[in-house]
Amino acid sequence: MATPVVEVRNLRRIYPLADEPVVALAGVDLAIEPGEFVAVMGPSGSGKSTFMHIVGFLDRPTSGTYRFEGRDVTELTENELADIRSRRLGFVFQAYNLLPRTTAVENVELPMLYAGVGETERRRAALAALDEVGLSRHAMHRSNQLSGGQQQRVAIARSLVNSPSLILADEPTGALDTRSSEDVMALLERLNRERGITIMLVTHEPDIAAHAKRIVTFRDGQIVSDNPSVIRSRAPQARESKDAAVPQVVQS
């Protein structure tokens, strides 16, 4: 059996406050296997965002164990965590987190720049990633010249360039209209299906969560349900060519 990409046991996160400690996670057990597409849902304050921050090495648990690709990461130093984060994780955020006056290709290059990859290889890999998400003809456009949906696809391209074992998508459609949301989710589905990339998606929208293969629901810092998703039937998505428009999602 393959080693889980993410495996947590009795994971707890308590934030100390002057009046009363806040229990954000109250003993969570969860494993995410290679190639899974998991949606994490729950109301505000349920613990889903705290869980993603811990999985992404952006926060540390108060107690419990967290193994990433079989390695116990709860006792690693900040430098060791930063190294794993830069090499093995990709991030997609609701606000895109692009540099506004920087071109799309330069934004995609940033993780490789931090990792010390040479200029020629950075540019080659960034252009390939933009082609993967259907934006090669927008490579030299500044991010503030792109639509919201296009900016999010640049962010997805950026998450791909270091060949991560896990992409963490935090409300990736929260700032998008319905059509752009469907386009972004179709892209994530294709990356999961065709490239086998493990994806963990945080969302509060049931129709977005339905694109995943598995839905885990948090409430009051605990998992209250963990079930396969009933995925809506879709026509196969054709890969976008270099000069094609944004692909349409066809519902059957």
Side-chain angles (χ1 to χ4, degrees):
M1 185 175 180
T3 301
V5 176
V6 170
E7 185 176 18
V8 302
R9 291 288 177 263
N10 198 28
L11 200 71
R12 296 175 64 83
R13 183 62 171 106
I14 301 173
Y15 295 101
L17 295 180
D19 296 333
E20 183 179 0
V22 174
V23 179
L25 295 176
V28 171
D29 296 329
L30 184 69
I32 298 176
E33 304 295 336
E36 283 202 279
F37 188 165
V38 179
V40 175
M41 296 192 69
S44 178
S46 64
K48 64 183 187 300
S49 294
T50 299
F51 180 69
M52 171 166 274
H53 290 161
I54 290 175
V55 170
F57 309 146
L58 302 174
D59 193 7
R60 287 182 179 268
T62 303
S63 62
T65 60
Y66 170 23
R67 293 184 179 276
F68 179 78
E69 296 184 315
R71 183 179 184 183
D72 188 345
V73 300
T74 51
E75 300 299 328
L76 296 182
T77 67
E78 291 299 329
N79 285 340
E80 289 170 327
L81 291 175
D83 180 63
I84 298 173
R85 187 166 56 236
S86 66
R87 292 185 298 104
R88 304 301 295 152
L89 296 178
F91 293 89
V92 181
F93 299 100
Q94 177 177 338
Y96 324 131
N97 288 13
L98 303 179
L99 300 179
R101 299 186 183 278
T102 302
T103 65
V105 70
E106 289 169 336
N107 269 286
V108 175
E109 286 180 334
L110 282 176
M112 296 179 288
L113 178 64
Y114 298 145
V117 177
E119 181 178 359
T120 300
E121 176 59 19
R122 286 202 313 268
R123 183 54 53 96
R124 184 204 63 78
L127 289 173
L130 285 170
D131 183 61
E132 180 80 7
V133 302
L135 285 179
S136 57
R137 67 191 179 110
H138 297 285
M140 303 312 295
H141 290 191
R142 293 192 301 273
S143 58
N144 58 9
Q145 296 175 314
L146 302 174
S147 70
Q150 289 170 335
Q151 289 185 66
Q152 194 61 290
R153 287 193 284 156
V154 171
I156 293 172
R158 183 183 57 193
S159 77
L160 293 173
V161 290
N162 282 337
S163 300
S165 59
L166 174 67
I167 289 179
L168 297 171
D170 189 3
E171 300 281 4
T173 64
L176 303 179
D177 60 30
T178 299
R179 174 177 171 178
S180 296
S181 296
E182 289 290 337
D183 292 335
V184 164
M185 292 311 302
L187 173 58
L188 291 175
E189 284 185 276
R190 177 168 63 78
L191 293 171
N192 172 253
R193 181 178 65 251
E194 296 181 1
R195 293 185 51 174
I197 298 173
T198 308
I199 298 174
M200 190 176 100
L201 162 78
V202 166
T203 182
H204 66 277
E205 301 177 78
D207 59 326
I208 295 299
H211 289 263
K213 298 175 182 175
R214 175 184 173 194
I215 299 177
V216 177
T217 304
F218 278 68
R219 186 177 296 276
D220 297 328
Q222 297 179 313
I223 294 175
V224 295
S225 67
D226 183 351
N227 299 302
S229 171
V230 180
I231 301 177
R232 293 169 295 175
S233 175
R234 294 179 181 83
Q237 297 295 315
R239 187 177 183 279
E240 187 175 15
S241 67
K242 292 183 179 180
D243 298 315
V246 177
Q248 296 287 325
V249 177
V250 180
Q251 303 285 350
S252 61

